[in-house]
Structures are given as structure tokens and as C-alpha cells.
């Protein structure tokens, strides 16, 4: 029976690369995001490469929509073997001094609570099949706070902490947890495209390396298929002296 991965927050950057990587290994791909139009374009691209794919609509800040989308995926494919959660974030350059409870609540609902709902909705299917993978990607400020970059960072730090705990708890079920900690711009992502389209919108002293999403997708595939490795950093840390 064909395995299935659900990409929550699918876009043109890392989400598409993860879909391609797992698709090349024979997985069917379920793409989930708020707007169906862009998803249909991604489905067409994947199908042109011989990858089975389908689109499902959900606002990841709305728990009931996540549960509905997962139910639709299960109705369409019959089961779920893996999920990848990494919706595109905005307002990355908000200073911590400007953050309000309402702003933080919105980030938590989208980035953290949406992840929790996605996992809770998909876990029964994975457990019934005796294994699976939970994968995620987030910004490097999840592990190291930086001045003037506090928008999604606290919510992403909660994601990292939660997944670290979940990693040990789900190992007896054969479900592997792995995450990408990305202190770089992902090539061809929506953010990368916005940088090219409007350079003036990027702070003048903001410099980050650009990483190939295919490299990250390779690491996540290895983690899921070999059930090894919890966290991967981009760029890779310099070797200790």
C-alpha cells in the first residue's frame, strides 16, 4: 500500500522540496494550506513529475479546519504515514519590545497550536500502521533569540521544546520526530521571492546565507526513513576547535 505524507503549510520552498523527496520514494502527497489556487499549481507540478498528489484547504490557525483536512486526507488516501509542518511565517523582524499579547497569541495559534492539532489528528493513523514520522521546520531564532527578530520566535521556541519531548515519547510507537532549525533563507521560498521583488523591504544590515531546500529535504527523508536524528541545523555549526 502506498505511503502518504501530509505537508501542512505547503509552499514553493521547503514544503515543495519535501513533497518531491518523499514522492520520489513512492509516497503520495497531501498538500494542506489556506488557499487552494496555489496548491493546485503545486499539485500539477508534482503530478508532472510522476508524483501522486492532492490539495486540501485549511487555515492552520483554526483547529477544526485542521481536523477536517486530516479527515479528508484519510478519506482520500485511506491513511497517513508522515506529516511535515512548516507554514510560512510573517513579521519576522518585529522587535520584542513591540510584541503584544494579541500578536503573540496569533503566532502561537498558527505556528504552535496548529502543529499540536495536526499531530493529534494524524497520530491515530500512524499508530494503527505501527510507525511513521513527524517532521517540522522553523527559524533559527527558536533556539537563539535575536534583537529585533521576535515575531514568530517565541512560538517556534515552543514548537522546538514540544517536539523534543515528543521525540522520546513516540519512539516506542515507531514514530520518529525530526526538525530543521533554519538560520538561513530558503531558496525559492515565498520570503526569498519577496527579497528579490522588494529588496528595500529587507533591513539593510540583514545578511543570511541561502540554503537549498533539497538539502534539507534530504536530511528529513533520511531521518524519517532511518529513524535517526532529531534536529538538523542550517547552516551546519562550525566544527569545535
Amino acid at each position: 500500500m502506498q505511503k502518504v505524507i501530509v505537508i501542512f503549510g505547503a509552499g514553493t520552498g521547503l514544503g515543495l522540496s519535501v513533497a518531491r523527496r518523499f514522492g520520489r520514494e513512492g509516497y503520495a502527497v497531501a498538500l494542506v494550506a489556506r488557499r487552494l489556487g496555489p496548491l493546485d499549481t503545486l499539485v500539477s507540478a508534482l503530478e508532472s513529475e510522476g508524483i501522486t498528489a492532492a490539495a486540501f484547504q485549511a487555515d492552520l490557525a483554526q483547529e477544526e479546519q485542521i481536523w477536517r483536512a486530516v479527515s479528508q486526507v484519510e478519506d482520500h488516501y485511506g491513511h497517513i504515514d508522515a506529516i511535515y509542518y512548516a507554514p510560512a511565517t510573517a513579521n519576522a523582524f518585529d522587535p520584542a519590545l513591540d510584541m503584544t499579547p494579541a500578536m503573540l497569541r496569533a503566532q502561537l495559534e498558527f505556528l504552535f497550536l496548529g502543529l499540536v492539532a495536526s499531530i493529534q489528528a494524524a497520530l491515530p493513523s500512524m499508530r494503527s500502521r505501527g510507525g511513521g514520522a513527524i517532521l517540522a521546520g522553523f527559524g533559527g531564532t527558536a533556539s537563539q533569540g535575536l534583537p529585533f527578530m521576535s515575531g514568530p520566535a517565541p512560538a517556534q521556541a515552543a514548537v522546538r521544546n514540544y517536539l523534543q519531548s515528543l521525540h522520546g515519547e513516540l519512539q516506542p510507537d515507531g514514530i520518529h520526530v525530526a526538525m530543521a532549525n533554519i538560520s538561513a533563507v530558503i531558496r525559492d521560498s515565498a520570503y526569498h521571492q519577496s527579497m528579490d521583488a522588494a529588496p528595500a523591504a529587507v533591513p539593510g544590515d540583514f545578511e543570511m546565507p541561502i540554503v537549498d531546500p533539497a538539502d534539507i529535504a534530504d536530511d528529513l527523508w533520511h531521518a524519517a526513513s532511518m529513524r535517526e536524528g532529531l534536529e538538523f541545523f542550517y547552516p551546519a555549526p562550525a566544527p569545535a576547535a
Side-chain angles (χ1 to χ4, degrees):
M1 183 181 293
Q2 188 175 30
K3 290 187 175 182
V4 178
I5 183 169
V6 185
I7 311 290
F8 290 98
T12 58
L14 186 50
L16 180 58
S17 289
V18 171
R20 282 179 166 142
R21 186 67 182 88
F22 279 73
R24 290 202 305 270
E25 301 296 336
Y27 277 67
V29 178
L31 303 177
V32 180
R34 187 168 54 87
R35 294 184 297 141
L36 278 178
L39 290 183
D40 289 337
T41 300
L42 298 181
V43 167
S44 296
L46 292 169
E47 289 181 336
S48 71
E49 299 170 20
I51 296 170
T52 301
F56 303 86
Q57 186 175 27
D59 181 343
L60 299 182
Q62 301 297 323
E63 182 179 351
E64 70 279 2
Q65 293 190 30
I66 293 172
W67 282 85
R68 183 189 66 203
V70 168
S71 178
Q72 290 172 343
V73 172
E74 291 174 333
D75 288 344
H76 186 81
Y77 286 121
H79 59 274
I80 293 170
D81 298 277
I83 68 171
Y84 171 72
Y85 193 96
T89 58
N91 306 317
F93 297 104
D94 283 341
L97 283 171
D98 292 345
M99 296 299 293
T100 66
M103 293 166 67
L104 289 168
R105 188 176 301 112
Q107 296 281 5
L108 283 168
E109 288 174 350
F110 181 52
L111 297 173
F112 178 52
L113 299 181
L115 169 71
V116 174
S118 300
I119 291 171
Q120 291 295 319
L123 263 179
S125 186
M126 293 187 206
R127 282 181 162 142
S128 71
R129 290 171 62 77
I134 293 170
L135 311 171
F138 46 76
T141 51
S143 54
Q144 177 63 58
L146 295 173
F148 308 105
M149 292 187 69
S150 188
Q156 292 180 329
V159 166
R160 184 173 184 245
N161 182 280
Y162 172 73
L163 292 177
Q164 287 172 337
S165 296
L166 208 60
H167 175 72
E169 295 173 11
L170 290 178
Q171 282 184 321
D173 294 327
I175 299 170
H176 188 75
V177 176
M179 48 187 152
N181 191 314
I182 307 164
S183 297
V185 176
I186 298 171
R187 182 177 289 117
D188 296 327
S189 65
Y191 181 75
H192 187 207
Q193 293 171 15
S194 72
M195 288 175 62
D196 290 341
V202 180
D205 59 351
F206 178 68
E207 292 186 9
M208 290 182 73
I210 296 174
V211 297
D212 190 332
D215 294 337
I216 304 175
D218 280 341
D219 287 337
L220 292 174
W221 164 251
H222 177 83
S225 59
M226 302 302 293
R227 296 183 181 177
E228 61 182 27
L230 168 60
E231 190 165 13
F232 301 86
F233 292 85
Y234 308 91

